[in-house]
Amino acid sequence: MSEKQNYSIGLIGQGLIHQQMKRHLENTHQIMPLTTESSSQQLAACSIIVYCSDTWAPRILRELNRRCLQADVALLPVYTQFDEGVLGPCVVPHKQGCVSCAELRKLGAASFEGDRELLHQYLSHEREPVASQPWLSSFSLETLAALASREVATYLQRSGQLQTESALFTLSLATLECRSHAFLPFPACPDCGQLPRDEAEQAVIELQSRPKADVFSYRISQPASTPEQILSTYVEPQTGLISTLVVENSNLLPTASSHLFSAGETMTGTGCTLRPEQSKVVSVLEAIERYAGSRPRGKRTTVQASYNRLVRDGQPVLDPTVLGLHTPEQYEQHRQSHACRQLIPYHHDLLCRWVWGYSFQRQAPLLIPEHCAYYSVPASKDNPVFAFEISNGCALGNCQEEAIFHGMLEVAERDAFLLTWYARLQVPRLDLHSLTDPTIRLLIEHLEYHSGYTIRAFNITLDHAVPCICLLCVDEQNRDEMPKAFVAAGSHPHPEQAVLKALREFAMFLAFPRWLNQHNRAEALKLLADSSLVLKMDQHPLVYYLPEAFERLDFLYHTPRQQTFQEGFRDFYVQPSECLDLREDLESLTSYYLKRGIDIMVVDQTAPEHSACGLHCVKVLMPGMLPMTFGQYNRRVTGFERLHQLPYTLGYQSHPLTVDEINPYPHPFF
């Protein structure tokens, strides 16, 4: 009887589940019959509210979820959805992970468009809940009520052991199979979300000492989470941030693909390493990196103004023109195309949104256009898009230093490749027999043998602080329906690891066979004849599947210069680094570019979901570096002094590159 005096259970609902729950609870607890219309005072008088329904009525449940959060009282839903009984989530006062979070995660995890549409209809009131649940049997009803009663007792006596905190517990009504589906709280949840404002103070970066596992790993020695923890945290078919993860074990390299659906976008991560488990982890990390890079997830953008207004107000702000814009002709082409995401000509009085980043040159925060920091923010009247951006420079790491370091490597790699392409530089071909790592030499033989392609490597490092490598993989046999050529690139402080990165990119192409069939060939020929038709990412390499396009790669294929790795990267082989602190590596890298007048600006893109595994995500911007773009109308080559001067400075040309000499063809990068 004492328990009845100490705890009162608010019971809401009707039907068979409600009756069964009442029988289970009334012998040990005080039952307070309530309705969805009960006052906040009545809700708050209870120790916990149990909502029971024989069917799924998300509109009613989400409204009750809001009211319980406002009343600071716990809520435990018990209901059925289609052929399952569902228990949870247990909504705990002052904690994130509520009913609305669970529904949004379920919507995001739906793999098929039809499933997403059905869930969306239920969530947006467009569909009436079913009247009854024919799957409920006496066995499933008793099992569901017993599980729910145990969870109520756990909350009241041992709340730290709840099975349904940020989790759903499901019971198959056909087989009585039980499963737990953990989910991450939804940062922008309309009911329990607590996104902070984007503030300058949050953008400040103070580099910390980060011991490395070994000299050439460039990853910290003790990450917060193991690979197993990363997979269990993010991958879950019904409620996970990532709902699908597939491994292709071909005779090349194990390749994993993961898919994440959010806000109408599907983000794919691909991992290709020497081991299947590692490939899975890499694919998951790439997907959640893109999730963070596409739009702000961890803070609310609060600054909306023009560049001129910010300057007048004395705010530290980046001049967007230093990032390289499009030509008037390109903006006009966009206007005529009626694309859903049109580019608007930039001027200093253009009103847009800004986020806080950190400038290593200024050693202080500064404002950066939101669209330049996040590549998929929806365009709007008060936040127009004036530059085509992708995930270039976005990187995920076990700490902020790690993420910044690898973001800089990507910016350097893309800049080196585009300089080589736009200026058609006859960079040195590297002798692959001079590689010292036997594993990489064997991998090259393995890929060549199984694919039939000949792999050539080129030193495109140019003026960069780290080795940059370009691979040209050619079908020398001219096989029917086989793509003629692929191009891949990699950068890394260890030149042979840069080769390995590029080889893994090539292996990913091969893992998902691309054929030059009749349909593809017809499309590729149109793109070859008219470069303005190249609009999407996958159309760039398609052009170079054609043997007829191979002459565009002559400047690489027939380069007269050759060198060994030891000749191309003499300093590395003569005096390799002995640094075991990633902070020192990063400071050395940033110092190199700062001395050459190139700033390193960092936007912290870390989302709350990353914190679960101690991960950090950033966007690195380095004004003056050539930005990777896709679509011929979107390429940005105007205003880059290094594009015109560097070929001359490095001795590739007898004069600075003129505008007319810039390679007019779409690049083959993918």
Side-chain angles (χ1 to χ4, degrees), residues 475-515:
D475 176 27
E476 306 276 11
Q477 306 166 53
N478 293 315
R479 292 166 291 178
D480 290 341
E481 296 194 348
M482 292 299 292
K484 176 63 178 177
F486 291 107
V487 172
S491 66
H492 195 277
H494 192 312
E496 301 189 19
Q497 289 296 309
V499 175
L500 179 59
K501 286 176 69 175
L503 287 171
R504 285 162 48 187
E505 292 290 321
F506 175 50
M508 280 195 284
F509 293 141
L510 300 174
F512 305 99
R514 293 160 169 81
W515 309 104

Side-chain angles (χ1 to χ4, degrees), residues 121-306:
Q121 287 178 11
Y122 272 104
L123 294 176
S124 61
H125 319 164
E126 296 174 15
R127 194 181 183 99
E128 290 297 318
V130 293
S132 62
Q133 174 53 271
W135 284 86
L136 268 175
S137 65
S138 58
F139 293 107
S140 59
L141 192 60
E142 173 61 25
T143 303
L144 191 59
L147 289 168
S149 299
R150 186 181 67 181
E151 194 71 351
V152 169
T154 300
Y155 172 75
L156 296 174
Q157 299 164 15
R158 305 178 304 279
S159 61
Q161 299 178 27
L162 281 168
Q163 293 191 59
T164 58
E165 186 173 342
S166 292
L168 297 176
F169 199 81
T170 61
L171 172 75
S172 168
L173 300 180
T175 67
L176 301 187
E177 180 185 7
C178 296
R179 290 187 178 180
S180 179
H181 308 277
F183 64 86
L184 295 167
F186 201 82
C189 174
D191 297 327
C192 73
Q194 299 174 354
L195 286 181
R197 290 165 55 91
D198 182 26
E199 304 282 0
E201 295 76 15
Q202 297 173 330
V204 174
I205 294 175
E206 295 180 357
L207 300 181
Q208 305 295 316
S209 176
R210 304 291 184 183
K212 301 190 299 184
D214 59 66
V215 172
F216 299 120
S217 70
Y218 301 96
R219 299 287 181 185
I220 62 174
S221 57
Q222 293 185 318
S225 299
T226 65
E228 293 75 21
Q229 289 171 323
I230 289 171
L231 293 177
S232 64
T233 299
Y234 297 114
V235 183
E236 213 291 321
Q238 290 195 23
T239 57
L241 189 60
I242 290 171
S243 57
T244 58
L245 175 58
V246 179
V247 179
E248 300 286 341
N249 280 303
S250 67
N251 57 2
L252 295 165
L253 286 180
T255 303
S257 297
S258 55
H259 302 280
L260 186 158
F261 182 83
S262 176
E265 295 177 277
T266 300
M267 283 151 271
T268 300
T270 307
C272 183
T273 70
L274 301 180
R275 300 189 302 276
E277 285 304 306
Q278 187 181 4
S279 294
K280 288 200 287 188
V281 172
V282 170
S283 76
V284 167
L285 294 177
E286 184 174 274
I288 63 174
E289 174 197 296
R290 290 179 175 173
Y291 170 76
S294 62
R295 60 185 68 191
R297 309 282 184 182
K299 48 201 171 187
R300 291 182 289 114
T301 302
T302 57
V303 178
Q304 182 184 26
S306 69

Side-chain angles (χ1 to χ4, degrees), residues 281-514:
V281 172
V282 170
S283 76
V284 167
L285 294 177
E286 184 174 274
I288 63 174
E289 174 197 296
R290 290 179 175 173
Y291 170 76
S294 62
R295 60 185 68 191
R297 309 282 184 182
K299 48 201 171 187
R300 291 182 289 114
T301 302
T302 57
V303 178
Q304 182 184 26
S306 69
Y307 172 81
N308 278 339
R309 174 61 184 270
L310 292 170
V311 171
R312 286 196 299 270
D313 290 348
Q315 294 280 16
V317 59
L318 170 71
D319 179 352
T321 62
V322 303
L323 297 176
L325 300 176
H326 305 279
T327 64
E329 293 76 18
Q330 287 175 307
Y331 285 121
E332 178 60 23
Q333 288 164 341
H334 263 272
R335 190 186 69 80
Q336 295 180 7
S337 70
H338 303 293
C340 59
R341 188 179 164 87
Q342 285 191 11
L343 298 179
I344 303 298
Y346 176 78
H347 53 86
H348 281 328
D349 287 314
L350 185 69
L351 189 71
C352 63
R353 294 208 296 261
W354 303 75
V355 297
W356 286 101
Y358 182 81
S359 163
F360 276 82
Q361 192 173 66
R362 304 184 191 199
Q363 295 188 352
L366 84 168
L367 287 163
I368 295 170
E370 186 181 52
H371 281 294
C372 297
Y374 298 91
Y375 62 89
S376 195
V377 176
S380 62
K381 267 190 172 182
D382 61 355
N383 195 30
V385 183
F386 53 79
F388 180 89
E389 266 292 345
I390 62 166
S391 62
N392 189 38
C394 294
L396 193 72
N398 292 296
C399 61
Q400 197 171 50
E401 291 79 4
E402 194 176 292
I404 296 170
F405 188 86
H406 288 275
M408 290 183 68
L409 292 189
E410 182 166 276
V411 172
E413 170 202 303
R414 305 292 175 79
D415 173 83
F417 172 79
L418 289 173
L419 266 167
T420 302
W421 177 259
Y422 287 139
R424 288 184 273 213
L425 304 181
Q426 291 198 298
V427 292
R429 178 181 172 185
L430 290 161
D431 180 5
L432 293 173
H433 293 100
S434 65
L435 288 164
T436 61
D437 189 329
T439 302
I440 299 176
R441 292 202 306 269
L442 284 171
L443 179 59
I444 292 170
E445 291 180 18
H446 172 77
L447 292 175
E448 287 189 329
Y449 176 79
H450 286 285
S451 70
Y453 283 84
T454 301
I455 298 173
R456 296 174 180 234
F458 301 88
N459 183 356
I460 60 170
T461 304
L462 307 177
D463 66 338
H464 282 290
V466 290
C468 300
I469 304 293
C470 175
L471 295 186
L472 176 60
C473 309
V474 182
D475 176 27
E476 306 276 11
Q477 306 166 53
N478 293 315
R479 292 166 291 178
D480 290 341
E481 296 194 348
M482 292 299 292
K484 176 63 178 177
F486 291 107
V487 172
S491 66
H492 195 277
H494 192 312
E496 301 189 19
Q497 289 296 309
V499 175
L500 179 59
K501 286 176 69 175
L503 287 171
R504 285 162 48 187
E505 292 290 321
F506 175 50
M508 280 195 284
F509 293 141
L510 300 174
F512 305 99
R514 293 160 169 81

Side-chain angles (χ1 to χ4, degrees), residues 449-626:
Y449 176 79
H450 286 285
S451 70
Y453 283 84
T454 301
I455 298 173
R456 296 174 180 234
F458 301 88
N459 183 356
I460 60 170
T461 304
L462 307 177
D463 66 338
H464 282 290
V466 290
C468 300
I469 304 293
C470 175
L471 295 186
L472 176 60
C473 309
V474 182
D475 176 27
E476 306 276 11
Q477 306 166 53
N478 293 315
R479 292 166 291 178
D480 290 341
E481 296 194 348
M482 292 299 292
K484 176 63 178 177
F486 291 107
V487 172
S491 66
H492 195 277
H494 192 312
E496 301 189 19
Q497 289 296 309
V499 175
L500 179 59
K501 286 176 69 175
L503 287 171
R504 285 162 48 187
E505 292 290 321
F506 175 50
M508 280 195 284
F509 293 141
L510 300 174
F512 305 99
R514 293 160 169 81
W515 309 104
L516 194 61
N517 55 35
Q518 187 174 357
H519 173 75
N520 281 350
R521 181 174 174 78
E523 181 186 357
L525 285 170
K526 290 179 182 178
L527 302 176
L528 179 68
D530 185 355
S531 294
S532 69
L533 299 177
V534 177
L535 304 175
K536 301 181 296 183
M537 181 189 293
D538 57 1
Q539 291 177 323
H540 280 262
L542 178 60
V543 175
Y544 301 93
Y545 292 179
L546 291 169
E548 294 91 330
F550 192 63
E551 64 179 6
R552 295 183 181 179
L553 296 164
D554 273 356
F555 69 92
L556 274 182
Y557 190 69
H558 293 299
T559 181
R561 303 175 60 187
Q562 297 201 28
Q563 59 185 199
T564 63
F565 276 80
Q566 291 71 27
E567 292 168 339
F569 308 101
R570 184 178 181 278
D571 290 346
F572 172 83
Y573 288 99
V574 171
Q575 195 171 5
S577 171
E578 296 180 354
C579 180
L580 284 168
D581 190 329
L582 185 58
R583 179 179 65 179
E584 293 179 25
D585 290 319
L586 180 55
E587 288 174 340
S588 175
L589 189 61
T590 56
S591 175
Y592 177 91
Y593 289 105
L594 291 174
K595 288 177 181 176
R596 287 156 179 78
I598 297 173
D599 195 2
I600 299 96
M601 295 178 294
V602 177
V603 176
D604 185 359
Q605 298 177 330
T606 306
E609 290 93 336
H610 294 134
S611 302
C613 285
L615 300 171
H616 296 260
C617 193
V618 301
K619 165 80 169 186
V620 174
L621 293 156
M622 298 172 66
M625 296 289 189
L626 288 164

